[in-house]
Amino acid sequence: MQQQYPFKEVEQQAQQFWGAKQSFLAKPESTKPKYYCLSMFPYPSGKLHMGHVRNYTIGDVLSRYHHMKGFNVLQPMGWDAFGLPAENAAIQNKVPPAQWTYDNIAYMRKQLQSLGFAIDWSRELATCQPEYYKWNQWLFLRMLEKGIAYKKTQVVNWDPVDQTVLANEQVIDGRGWRTGALVEKREIPGYYLNITGHAQQLLDDLDKLPGWPERVKTMQANWIGKSVGVRFAFPHAIQNSDGQLIDDGKLWVFTTRADTIMGVTFCAVAAEHPLATHAAQNNPSLQAFIDKCKQGSVMEADMATMEKEGMDTGLTVTHPLTGEQVPVWVGNYVLMTYGEGAVMAVPAHDERDFGFAHKYKLPIKQVISVIDQTFDNSAWQEWYGDKSKGVCIYSGKYNDLNYAQAVDAVAADLAEKDLGGKQTNWRLRDWGISRQRYWGCPIPIIHCESCGSVPVPDDQLPVRLPEDCVPDGSGNPLNKREDFLHCACPSCGKPAKRETDTMDTFVDSSWYYARYASGFSDSAMVDAQTNHWMPVDQYIGGIEHAILHLLYSRFWSKVMRDLGLVNYDEPFANLLTQGMVLNHIFSRRTEKGGIEYF
Ligand code: ANZ
Ligand code: ZN
């Protein structure tokens, strides 16, 4: 027996043996029970780090164990190869993102192979390959046909330095995460996927996942955020300069506490709300306040902790049940993108409204009472906002009703006046997939002056991304690529222009597991083999993907299922979220204020 482990010899011999025997080739025709073991695929950032080694070792141990137990194992590997870091590297080193990416893949593949993992390398894929992303485009077109994908303009976070839209997560303290520039809000057109249409299913089907950590399921449920309440209107006679009623004379709000409707002492609208815009026309200080609000973060976490600020618009609306006039304020804590972008404010029973009313000396009117508790306007107490205890008081005909009874009664009365009714709201927003980025999957749309936005016909897929652009940081280089831009309109044949936005890279990772499990056909997104291997028996990855990646994958699977491409409801039967390997990382603030890592 040798004193030391001569890893060079032993491992090389073992790896040669496995290679010669094709030991890790998955065999779909085998009659053994299948075991699909999947680790989240890496971004080809340059070199493997210890986190990769640890993550992939977990999957490897599980794969080998099941192999030995007589399972037919599939353990594939690939590359999440589109994305921003390649563009940033390109800006720095002046090499095309494609070259940087393919070089990194080659290097990291060698590293992974030298680790001797039991991977079926015959199924390797990279999401930047046209053979792969062709099917992103193809499914997008199917979604477009079904109305699941649609175009709309929306307010987005705009980084004026990078000339790009940022995700909420990329806005830190109101600044772009990379550039440190003050983020602006802008309206631009983009494509959205109607994930909210699947919200109920995405919530319900969490119950079909006993093999997922409770914590992750809770995070998903909170993110989906089902909220049952009442949507109703405060009528008004506010007209715009053309003499037309704004929003048909109705200020709509969404509330989960319709039982407190008799305690309304003001309404608060978002800075982007039409009533705010209207009121600001002859009120420069209100306009200045609105501009300031628009600069702030749209992250909900920030919304919850930030100082509540507001300003009176001078406008009033009519309480739908009492007929009283209610003042309208602009409040920085009201989100334009949730509910109706406006709230009925009940300072006595909502903590945010309470703070706001105190700050601006607005009336506070108790309408819920709890036995043995005394209401005191000067300080907030937990029970004020607790809907599980208490009954209505000072509320006329609703007195003595509990929460559920009062909500029903109020909703019925509002419905009778044709001013509203019960409604379910979702915190989840539709998934905006357009990115003003080069290194991603082109959105297969052609813009024609006569025909508008025309889908690229299937037989012209994939729309290939030119691989030799070198971004210089000033917007999307595709806008300057004449050979990419110009094409014929598929519908009328006249000269037209290609869409230059590319897809969010979360699209790429939303279905790679199904492609691994399929034969790599160029005439089908997936084949019948997929249903043999899927769902993934063990998915392994970082907790940082507990929400977005997993939710998008679940959604994408359901769309594929509805189109008859696959037969499973959920892609990942068991989920293991490994910990993170932490190490001190050196960084510095750049001149522009962003963070640069070494
Ligand atoms: C009056 C009220 C009284 C409320 C009360 C709560 C307690 P969830 O559960 O998250 O759906 N709200 C509605 N739209 C909003 C918006 N665009 N921006 C900020 N806040 C908004 O919360 C619904 C509650 O959040 C609604 O119920 C509304 O405040 C507020 F004692 O209405 B409530
Ligand atoms: Zn045309």
Side-chain angles (χ1 to χ4, degrees):
M1 166 117 178
Q2 281 161 298
Q3 283 299 308
Q4 282 185 326
Y5 167 53
F7 65 90
K8 278 195 179 144
E9 284 160 45
V10 175
E11 293 186 8
Q12 205 191 22
Q13 276 171 20
Q15 286 174 25
Q16 263 167 12
F17 176 81
W18 294 328
K21 294 238 329 183
Q22 300 201 305
S23 307
F24 309 125
L25 211 62
K27 300 169 194 73
E29 65 290 344
S30 160
T31 51
K32 292 183 195 168
K34 65 99 183 176
Y35 185 80
Y36 185 177
C37 185
L38 181 65
S39 300
M40 291 179 184
F41 64 167
Y43 179 78
S45 51
K47 296 189 169 87
L48 291 188
H49 54 65
M50 280 316 292
H52 291 126
V53 176
R54 178 179 160 169
N55 191 6
Y56 298 135
T57 300
I58 299 172
D60 197 50
V61 169
L62 282 165
S63 292
R64 286 171 182 274
Y65 172 77
H66 282 86
H67 202 93
M68 289 189 266
K69 293 279 273 185
F71 284 83
N72 177 31
V73 177
L74 167 58
Q75 179 175 232
M77 184 52 73
W79 311 96
D80 190 12
F82 274 137
L84 211 49
E87 290 191 38
N88 295 337
I91 295 168
Q92 264 178 15
N93 312 327
K94 306 200 167 44
V95 282
Q99 190 193 323
W100 183 84
T101 304
Y102 288 121
D103 287 352
N104 289 349
I105 289 176
Y107 190 86
M108 289 169 75
R109 182 194 302 114
K110 230 170 96 186
Q111 287 187 303
L112 271 179
Q113 286 176 339
S114 74
L115 283 160
F117 290 141
I119 288 167
D120 179 353
W121 284 101
S122 73
R123 291 170 188 258
E124 179 186 358
L125 61 80
T127 57
C128 61
Q129 292 163 332
E131 304 80 57
Y132 181 79
Y133 67 67
K134 168 182 177 178
W135 301 104
N136 293 355
Q137 298 174 341
W138 182 84
L139 201 77
F140 170 81
L141 295 173
R142 302 292 83 75
M143 290 196 203
L144 212 55
E145 287 160 4
K146 296 222 172 291
I148 301 172
Y150 62 94
K151 190 178 182 181
K152 72 167 177 186
T153 56
Q154 203 181 281
V155 184
V156 294
N157 303 307
W158 180 258
D159 185 319
V161 173
D162 262 356
Q163 295 279 301
T164 193
V165 175
L166 300 176
N168 287 345
E169 295 79 357
Q170 294 176 319
V171 181
I172 298 157
D173 297 331
R175 289 172 184 275
W177 64 294
R178 211 177 70 79
T179 61
L182 269 184
V183 168
E184 297 164 13
K185 303 238 173 108
R186 273 213 189 175
E187 280 201 23
I188 61 161
Y191 286 91
Y192 285 80
L193 305 183
N194 179 18
I195 189 169
T196 52
H198 286 73
Q200 188 68 57
Q201 252 186 67
L202 288 166
L203 189 63
D204 292 345
D205 286 359
L206 289 172
D207 292 340
K208 296 184 184 165
L209 299 172
W212 281 38
E214 277 311 314
R215 165 164 90 117
V216 174
K217 285 191 278 187
T218 306
M219 284 161 84
Q220 293 232 340
N222 290 342
W223 187 264
I224 296 167
K226 183 175 185 176
S227 175
V228 182
V230 172
R231 173 183 181 264
F232 74 93
F234 290 79
H236 63 72
I238 305 161
Q239 298 176 350
N240 65 19
S241 49
D242 302 335
Q244 254 154 7
L245 284 175
I246 294 177
D247 294 337
D248 295 328
K250 285 176 179 164
L251 171 59
W252 288 97
V253 299
F254 174 74
T255 180
T256 47
R257 293 299 307 271
D259 58 318
T260 65
I261 194 167
M262 300 308 233
V264 172
T265 60
F266 63 99
C267 286
V269 301
E272 298 88 354
H273 194 280
L275 283 186
T277 314
H278 173 73
Q281 273 167 8
N282 305 309
N283 185 342
S285 53
L286 182 61
Q287 186 60 55
F289 175 69
I290 289 172
D291 291 342
K292 188 178 144 205
C293 289
K294 285 186 182 171
Q295 267 179 8
S297 160
V298 293
M299 285 274 287
E300 269 182 58
D302 296 340
M303 285 283 186
T305 53
M306 79 190 167
E307 172 77 13
K308 314 227 169 349
E309 288 187 74
M311 206 165 197
D312 193 356
T313 62
L315 303 170
T316 62
V317 292
T318 308
H319 192 291
L321 299 180
T322 67
E324 277 172 40
Q325 287 304 293
V326 178
V328 178
W329 283 62
V330 177
N332 68 345
Y333 65 98
V334 185
L335 286 169
M336 192 59 201
T337 49
Y338 186 70
E340 301 296 324
V343 301
M344 71 170 200
V346 184
H349 302 288
D350 180 277
E351 194 169 358
R352 294 178 303 179
D353 299 342
F354 186 88
F356 195 86
H358 262 275
K359 183 164 178 179
Y360 296 107
K361 310 251 175 320
L362 293 158
I364 298 173
K365 200 176 150 210
Q366 180 195 5
V367 288
I368 301 290
S369 90
V370 168
I371 293 181
D372 293 338
Q373 300 278 14
T374 16
F375 190 89
D376 164 11
N377 266 351
S378 65
W380 176 260
Q381 299 178 47
E382 264 329 298
W383 71 266
Y384 294 174
D386 185 351
K387 64 183 178 200
S388 66
K389 298 181 197 140
V391 292
C392 298
I393 54 163
Y394 310 127
S395 296
K397 64 185 276 204
Y398 309 113
N399 281 348
D400 300 322
L401 297 184
N402 68 19
Y403 168 73
Q405 294 163 331
V407 169
D408 286 347
V410 168
D413 288 347
L414 290 165
E416 184 141 314
K417 292 177 191 279
D418 209 15
L419 287 176
K422 286 199 178 172
Q423 186 181 297
T424 299
N425 265 357
W426 302 93
R427 210 183 140 276
L428 185 66
R429 298 272 76 104
D430 275 350
W431 176 11
I433 58 156
S434 295
R435 295 288 178 278
Q436 294 63 43
R437 285 283 160 200
Y438 158 60
W439 189 235
C441 166
I443 294 179
I445 294 287
I446 290 168
H447 300 287
C448 167
E449 278 191 6
S450 339
C451 312
S453 303
V454 185
V456 173
D458 283 359
D459 61 10
Q460 292 175 25
L461 297 181
V463 176
R464 279 171 193 273
L465 185 73
E467 291 199 343
D468 53 356
C469 290
V470 184
D472 58 9
S474 67
N476 184 346
L478 289 178
N479 288 317
K480 296 174 210 150
R481 275 298 290 251
E482 305 293 324
D483 57 338
F484 176 81
L485 277 179
H486 300 292
C487 59
C489 168
S491 155
C492 71
K494 281 192 225 143
K497 269 191 173 171
R498 275 188 204 287
E499 172 67 57
T500 56
D501 282 357
T502 55
M503 293 185 195
D504 180 4
T505 56
F506 273 119
V507 169
D508 309 329
S509 52
S510 285
W511 69 281
Y512 73 111
Y513 49 85
R515 183 77 176 172
Y516 280 146
S518 171
F520 286 2
S521 164
D522 58 10
S523 57
M525 185 170 188
V526 291
D527 60 25
Q529 207 197 121
T530 299
N531 290 331
H532 168 71
W533 293 109
M534 289 293 291
V536 172
D537 294 279
Q538 185 64 61
Y539 197 29
I540 303 154
I543 187 79
E544 71 275 21
H545 293 301
I547 298 176
L548 294 181
H549 162 58
L550 292 174
L551 195 65
Y552 292 149
S553 297
R554 296 180 59 221
F555 163 67
W556 202 271
S557 286
K558 290 181 195 304
V559 173
M560 288 178 71
R561 178 203 59 194
D562 295 347
L563 286 165
L565 296 168
V566 299
N567 66 7
Y568 47 87
D569 291 330
E570 286 289 333
F572 312 123
N574 296 288
L575 176 69
L576 187 145
T577 49
Q578 98 278 1
M580 295 260 274
V581 176
L582 297 177
N583 186 28
H584 188 76
I585 287 190
F586 292 95
S587 67
R588 67 163 188 194
R589 283 264 164 207
T590 65
E591 278 160 33
K592 294 178 202 148
I595 296 180
E596 186 187 347
Y597 294 99
F598 296 99

